Amino acid sequence: MKRNEAIQEKAAGEARKLMATIGPMRDGGATLTQIADALNANDVKTSRGGSWTATQVSRVIDRGRGQRADE
């Protein structure tokens, strides 16, 4: 497997796990910013150990739904 494919697969796997938390929040009407704030308040770190932003939440949702973030 090429390195880029491996990175994308890892990101997709992490997104699927996070969708258990993010999905119900989004379905309940939470904004991307509210979801990012909730993840940060609960000390959930990004894959690189940082804080969440609305853009990162959006990308996780896209990956969790099987879409590429750049589409």
Side-chain angles (χ1 to χ4, degrees):
M1 181 180 295
K2 294 181 182 176
R3 183 175 185 272
N4 192 39
E5 290 172 354
I7 291 169
Q8 289 176 355
E9 184 55 37
K10 180 182 179 209
E14 290 175 3
R16 285 189 292 272
K17 290 178 194 173
L18 281 167
M19 283 304 291
T21 301
I22 293 173
M25 294 173 71
R26 188 65 170 159
D27 292 343
T31 66
L32 298 173
T33 300
Q34 289 170 330
I35 295 169
D37 290 345
L39 292 170
N40 290 326
N42 287 297
D43 293 323
V44 177
K45 299 296 182 191
T46 64
S47 61
R48 293 186 179 190
S51 298
W52 288 94
T53 66
T55 300
Q56 290 168 307
V57 172
S58 176
R59 289 178 179 154
V60 166
I61 291 169
D62 288 346
R63 284 190 183 105
R65 291 181 178 157
Q67 301 170 358
R68 288 181 43 196
D70 60 352
E71 290 182 331

